[in-house]
Every structure is written in C-alpha cells, then in structure tokens.
Amino acid sequence: MKFQAIKGVRDILPPESALWSRVEQSARDVFHSYGYGEIRLPMFEQVELFARSIGQETDVVSKEMYRFEDYELVDLDAERRSLALRHPQIENPSSVYTFFTVAEAVISWLQQSLITGQVPRTPENEGLARELKGLYDESAAKFQLPKYEGTQSDLDLYVDQIRRAALALRLGDSLALRPEATASVVRAYIEHGMHTRPGNVKLYYIGPMFRRERPQKGRYRQFYQIGAELLGPSDHAALDAEVIEMLLAFFARVNLKDAKLYINSIGDKNCRPAYVERLRGELQKVRDKLGADSQRRIETNPLRVLDSKLPEEQPIIDKLPRIAECLCDACREHYAELKRQLALRKIDYEENWRLVRGLDYYMRTTFEITAPGLGSQNAVCGGGRYDGLVELLGGPATTKGIGFAIGTDRLMLSLQEAGAAAKCALDVYIAWMGVQAYPAAVALARKLREHNLSVELPPQEMKFGKSLSLADRLGARFAVIVGEDELAARQFTVKRLADGDQRRLAEADLLEYLTSSRTA
RNA sequence: GUGAGCGUAGCUCAGCCGGUAGAGCAUCGGUCUGUGGAACCGAGGGUCGCGGGUUCAAAUCCCGUCGCUCACCCCA
C-alpha cells in the first residue's frame, strides 16, 4: 500500500461517523439550551498566543505543538539555507567568491524585503540585518580582495556567523496548529470586543486539535474536542456549577454511563504560590522516598507530584499538605459556594484534592470527569476557571472565565465500550424492474428524498432476487417495488424487510406510511 | 524521548522441525428474469511490511529498518 494516514491520525468511517454526528448534535442541542452559541475558530494561530496562555514551560507548548513558519519569500528562504551547504576554502578562491556572492544577494534581498514589509520589521530582524551587513563588509574586505589576508579559521568563523544570523531571521509569522481551543476563544473574545456584549458571553466549539505526541489508546495527534467557555464580568460559583450541570446534562443525553465528577480548587495567584512552596518544602523532606519523575517535579512543578500513580508513592502523597488548608478567604468561600451550588442542583461529585491542572491558566475551580473503558486515559473531560487569562492576553482585567473541553475520541471509546452503535439508517431501497419502470423509480426516489428519507436507487436493472438481497444487506427498512403491475395500477408495492409485511399503496399513502413509520 | 508486544488476502487469523501461500468472514458471479435473510457451487484478491544475510531452498532462522499497538512521560 503506497499511502497511509500519517502517524497518530486516522479516518473515522461510516457507520462510526454517524455516532460522532449524533454526539456532536447532542452537544449543540444541550449547549444551546443553556444559551451557548457556536464559535468557529481557525485551526492555527500565532505560536505566541499558545505560549502565553498555556505556558511556555508546559510540555504542550515546548515540545508538542506542530509549528511552522509562514512566509511569502520561499526563494529567499532557500537561498539563505543554501549558505549552510557551502564550505568556502581559502585555497579555492572561487568557492570563497561564490559564498560571498550568495551572501551578498541574500543581504540585499533581505534589506529590500524589510523595506517592503515582506519580511517582518521586528527589532530582532532589523538587528540581524545590520549584523549581517557588518559581517559581510568586514569579511568581504578581508577575503574577497585579490590578495587573501585571512587564515582558513578566520574564514570559518565569519562563514559560521553569517550562516547563523541568516538562519535566525524570521521571514514570516511563527504559527502553530492549535493544541487546544481556549486560547483561541479568548483571543477572539478580545479581538471582537465581546466584553461589550450584554451579560455573559457563552461560546462552544467543536473540532480537531493537534499535539505531536506518541499515540496511544484514545490519544491521537489529531484529536477532537467539544468545549465551551463562559466569559464575563462575574466569577460567581453559580456559573461554575451551571457549567458543570450543562456538562453532565450532555453526558446524560449521550448515555454515558458511570461518569464520575471530581472537583477541586487550586487557589488563585494570592494563595497558590504559598501552597506550592509549602508543598515543595514537604517534598524535599521525603525526596529520597520518591521516584525519579517525582523528584524532578519537585523543582519543575510540585503540584504534578500529586498526580503520580506509582503505588509506592501513594502513602507519602497522602500525608502531604492539602491545598484546601491553604486557600485564601476569597478562594475558600468560592469553593464552598461551588459545593453549595452543586448540592442545590443535586449533582454528585467527589472532591479530589490531588486534581491539579496541567495548564498554567487555571485557577480556583478545577474539575474532571472520568468514564470507564479508557485504559490509562480515563479522563474524558477537564476544565476549570481561568480568571486571569483574558487580561494576560491583553483584554479587560474585569473579564473572568470558566470552561471545559471534552475529549471526543475518548468519549466515543467509552460509548462504544458500553455498546453504543450507530447504523447507517437506510430507509428505502427501490427495487425496480423493466426499463419502463425506471422513470417512475427515479421520480419516486426524488420525492421520498425530499421528505428526508434515505433512499437507495440501483442505477441499472437487476435480477429481482438480487435486488431484494442487496436491499437486505444494505440494511434498508423498506423495499419499494416498482414493476409493470405497479405502473399499471398507479401504485407501489412496499415491503417491510424485517417481517416481510407487504402492501400496495398509491404515492401519497406510501409517503405517509414511510414517514410515519420512521423512527426518530 | 523511553520500554514492551505485534506485522501473512478488505477483516480475524492458521501456517510448528525451512520444501510450490491457506481457512473463516466479507466481496463478486451462478443455482434463482416478481420476492431478501439460508444452503450449495465457483471466482477474484497476497513481492508473507521493507532491505540484507544464512541456505540448493526462507512467511518460517539471523541482522537491520519501517510501520502499528499498548504502556511510561505529559495531558483533555
């Protein structure tokens, strides 16, 4: 087989795709009932947007994003890269000459492009352009004249510096395929001044995200999320509770069994840092009892030690200080109110003090929903509050936010595990006989399709037995028979394939019969 | 990035100790030109992931490589 889907991506085929549509439609319906509108976002953004919101140091940003540079000047890029392939030698004057000729071309091209704006006029780029010019003038004076004054190592030094500066140029925008959508939603919110809209802005999105990581069960490089974000002036815990209620309503709608809700509060920028330090201090004391991964996290991100699944670390982690004890008054009250609000809504939850989120922007409320049948990836949804994010990205400081993202791939796995299956529901197969019946069959097919029935019409005459056999194997619910007898009687014969029940009906009655028996 | 397992027909797999590539399901055709599901008969479909080595002979043994899967890391 010549071509295959690249690592970590896959095709979703019928009939499985029908289940996807159903689930996504359920999300639309439920979210709509809570006043959310769909936002359609671009699939790529500036790298900087993700770096700022998700956190430069997170794995997602530092090593899992699909990044690329987008520039017009493909030729200039090729030319500057060709510098790296040239190795001028002092004893070979023409190689020296060629190198500097190419370098000169790149430099003048670059200067021109900076003026026209085809290459971004950033301070870095302008600095690099000056540096290149300087290096070129110096070295050309030394090496390009009839007598060569420098040594080979001098030359190598210049060549190396020129190459380095040329490659450091940013010829266009640094872009990345989105690894998640919250950053984009917030960017759009700010860009379109949505804080001037009345009340809370409620948005949902459905679509693919991209992370370059090793694929495994329920985890792909192109994966799908269904998410919602609520942005607005209020950070009342009732909003958090309603978001969670909506989420659970959705899971109920798609019949996800045994979903469990876990909640936690991770404090805000006042109280979390103090807790992190205290945690780090306690971890230092038991350092030698921890595994290598956890030891490393003591410095990089102590909160994540709480996530460890190593059995031997569990007793140690159990004794660590809990963030609930360290929350500031405002955060403690917010968390208490969330629990009251959940109780009011009769929502079952379990507090999990070890539930911390990986992304930098979360604060206060965090939550997660797990579902059975997912192997080691049992979280099917995660979310939380991110009150500082809008301000961080340049929007009004008064805008708070909360949201979640459902991992659609994992949700599907769990639903399929539970036996959910979608059939391609073919309503009607038209078994026609004799060329004179064909026009009637074509007309009937169009008529039925206008009424939203799924209709299969064979393109050429088939043996009747074959035709019915095909209807059966296609899973059609009805076969409509069009032959000489039917034409003569101006009626159709319709046969219910499940039990063989068969009747003769005029077109209007047939339509009524088929549409009324359609299962929702 | 690390570790383990697996690559033979569209799918699920057999093929042991090297000796002319198989089964079931699926597809297509026939028995069967106005009644499907069944049965029977037949057909198509494979450079045994790829490359090298050992051998008279390799799907089989050895080495390498690529791919897939699961787990770790991390995360939704």
Side-chain angles (χ1 to χ4, degrees):
Chain A
M1 220 186 300
K2 183 115 194 209
F3 294 109
Q4 60 176 18
I6 55 182
K7 185 198 279 286
V9 311
R10 67 202 174 129
D11 307 303
I12 297 163
L13 314 173
E16 193 194 352
S17 52
L19 184 59
W20 280 70
S21 300
R22 213 180 73 202
V23 165
E24 290 176 347
Q25 191 54 47
S26 298
R28 292 175 191 282
D29 294 345
V30 171
F31 296 172
H32 174 76
S33 72
Y34 281 80
Y36 284 71
E38 183 181 17
I39 181 167
R40 297 213 177 194
L41 296 161
M43 231 95 78
F44 52 93
E45 302 266 4
Q46 291 184 33
V47 164
E48 189 57 20
L49 175 67
F50 301 121
R52 286 269 281 285
S53 59
I54 298 168
Q56 182 66 57
E57 302 310 318
T58 57
D59 278 17
V60 173
V61 169
S62 62
K63 53 188 208 204
E64 293 174 356
M65 282 202 303
Y66 279 100
R67 306 169 65 142
F68 60 99
E69 273 204 359
D70 179 43
Y71 43 72
E72 289 175 47
L73 299 173
V74 183
D75 298 339
L76 175 55
D77 181 54
E79 194 80 341
R80 69 163 169 169
R81 282 173 200 283
S82 82
L83 286 173
L85 301 174
R86 301 181 187 282
H87 303 282
Q89 302 295 316
I90 286 279
E91 59 270 26
N92 180 356
S94 84
S95 72
V96 178
Y97 175 79
T98 310
F99 179 85
F100 284 109
T101 306
V102 174
E104 183 180 22
V106 168
I107 290 164
S108 65
W109 194 344
L110 173 66
Q111 288 175 326
Q112 191 59 39
S113 305
L114 276 168
I115 292 165
T116 61
Q118 281 176 293
V119 168
R121 257 171 288 179
T122 61
E124 293 79 17
N125 273 354
E126 287 178 343
L128 284 166
R130 273 196 302 279
E131 183 185 339
L132 272 170
K133 184 78 171 87
L135 282 167
Y136 174 79
D137 290 344
E138 264 178 56
S139 52
K142 212 164 179 182
F143 296 100
Q144 212 184 352
L145 296 168
K147 52 178 183 184
Y148 307 107
E149 292 174 0
T151 62
Q152 178 70 39
S153 63
D154 279 340
L155 178 62
D156 287 345
L157 202 65
Y158 276 113
V159 165
D160 192 52
Q161 286 179 309
I162 288 172
R163 276 181 196 153
R164 212 172 291 221
L167 288 175
L169 284 164
R170 244 193 51 214
L171 298 188
D173 298 320
S174 237
L175 305 179
L177 296 183
R178 60 183 189 186
E180 55 111 47
T182 300
S184 298
V185 171
V186 173
R187 192 222 79 232
Y189 175 88
I190 297 167
E191 185 170 340
H192 301 290
M194 293 171 83
H195 62 281
T196 63
R197 295 191 179 199
N200 290 312
V201 172
K202 300 173 174 180
L203 301 165
Y204 74 86
Y205 57 85
I206 293 175
M209 311 292 158
F210 305 85
R211 282 186 205 173
R212 195 181 182 293
E213 50 189 355
R214 202 76 155 236
Q216 57 185 285
K217 193 179 174 95
R219 167 187 247 188
Y220 303 91
R221 290 183 167 187
Q222 176 173 333
F223 58 105
Y224 295 82
Q225 287 189 334
I226 298 171
E229 314 287 350
L230 186 151
L231 295 137
S234 169
D235 63 356
H236 197 284
L239 295 173
D240 304 41
E242 193 182 76
V243 162
I244 290 170
E245 179 190 311
M246 175 171 88
L247 190 49
L248 294 174
F250 163 69
F251 283 132
R253 182 75 63 96
V254 297
N255 278 319
L256 180 72
K257 307 280 189 227
D258 302 316
K260 287 193 71 175
L261 168 67
Y262 296 90
I263 63 167
N264 191 26
S265 174
I266 57 169
D268 62 12
K269 56 181 178 293
N270 298 318
C271 49
R272 183 160 42 160
Y275 171 68
V276 169
E277 277 322 303
R278 190 168 151 204
L279 188 61
R280 184 175 276 141
E282 291 299 315
L283 285 169
Q284 297 286 12
K285 292 182 198 163
V286 293
R287 181 182 201 98
D288 50 347
K289 296 193 190 114
L290 296 170
D293 287 326
S294 290
Q295 291 197 14
R296 183 168 40 76
R297 292 192 200 119
I298 295 176
E299 274 77 38
T300 59
N301 194 346
L303 286 176
R304 299 224 65 91
V305 177
L306 305 181
D307 260 357
S308 166
K309 290 162 205 137
L310 288 179
E312 60 271 25
E313 292 184 352
Q314 302 312 308
I316 303 165
I317 293 170
D318 259 350
K319 294 195 196 81
L320 293 169
R322 312 197 166 193
I323 191 161
E325 303 151 11
C326 303
L327 293 178
C328 61
D329 290 347
C331 286
R332 184 178 301 117
E333 176 46 35
H334 190 270
Y335 190 41
E337 178 63 18
L338 170 65
K339 288 187 275 189
R340 279 194 293 274
Q341 289 279 349
L342 289 174
L344 179 69
R345 289 168 167 79
K346 302 197 170 33
I347 293 171
D348 289 329
Y349 60 87
E350 196 171 303
E351 287 183 76
N352 180 1
W353 68 280
R354 291 166 59 170
L355 178 63
V356 294
R357 297 251 64 97
L359 311 185
D360 281 3
Y361 53 64
Y362 285 111
M363 57 176 288
R364 288 193 174 169
T365 307
T366 61
F367 55 90
E368 184 168 294
I369 288 172
T370 62
L374 296 177
S376 65
Q377 319 293 333
N378 68 345
V380 73
C381 170
R385 178 161 281 290
Y386 46 84
D387 292 342
L389 183 58
V390 172
E391 183 182 15
L392 179 70
L393 294 180
T398 50
T399 301
K400 322 287 188 186
I402 181 165
F404 61 81
I406 297 161
T408 316
D409 306 82
R410 292 187 191 174
L411 174 59
M412 290 302 162
L413 268 180
S414 193
L415 291 176
Q416 284 161 342
E417 194 89 2
K423 290 195 293 254
C424 298
L426 179 64
D427 294 310
V428 177
Y429 180 96
I430 298 182
W432 57 274
M433 281 169 289
V435 285
Q436 62 278 40
Y438 186 57
V442 170
L444 178 66
R446 170 174 294 189
K447 189 83 181 176
L448 298 181
R449 284 164 173 160
E450 278 169 4
H451 287 78
N452 232 4
L453 290 159
S454 167
V455 178
E456 185 70 18
L457 176 70
Q460 59 198 347
E461 189 169 12
M462 296 170 73
K463 285 185 188 172
F464 192 57
K466 283 251 165 239
S467 209
L468 281 186
S469 163
L470 187 54
D472 186 45
R473 285 177 304 149
L474 289 174
R477 291 169 45 243
F478 295 96
V480 171
I481 297 159
V482 190
E484 280 178 38
D485 299 352
E486 285 78 9
L487 286 182
R490 296 178 179 283
Q491 283 185 324
F492 297 101
T493 301
V494 57
K495 174 169 187 161
R496 187 161 58 206
L497 290 168
D499 59 5
D501 173 85
Q502 190 164 316
R503 55 189 78 182
R504 274 278 186 96
L505 297 171
E507 186 180 283
D509 298 329
L510 174 68
L511 242 172
E512 165 63 21
Y513 174 68
L514 291 176
T515 51
S516 68
S517 76
R518 181 167 42 197
T519 48

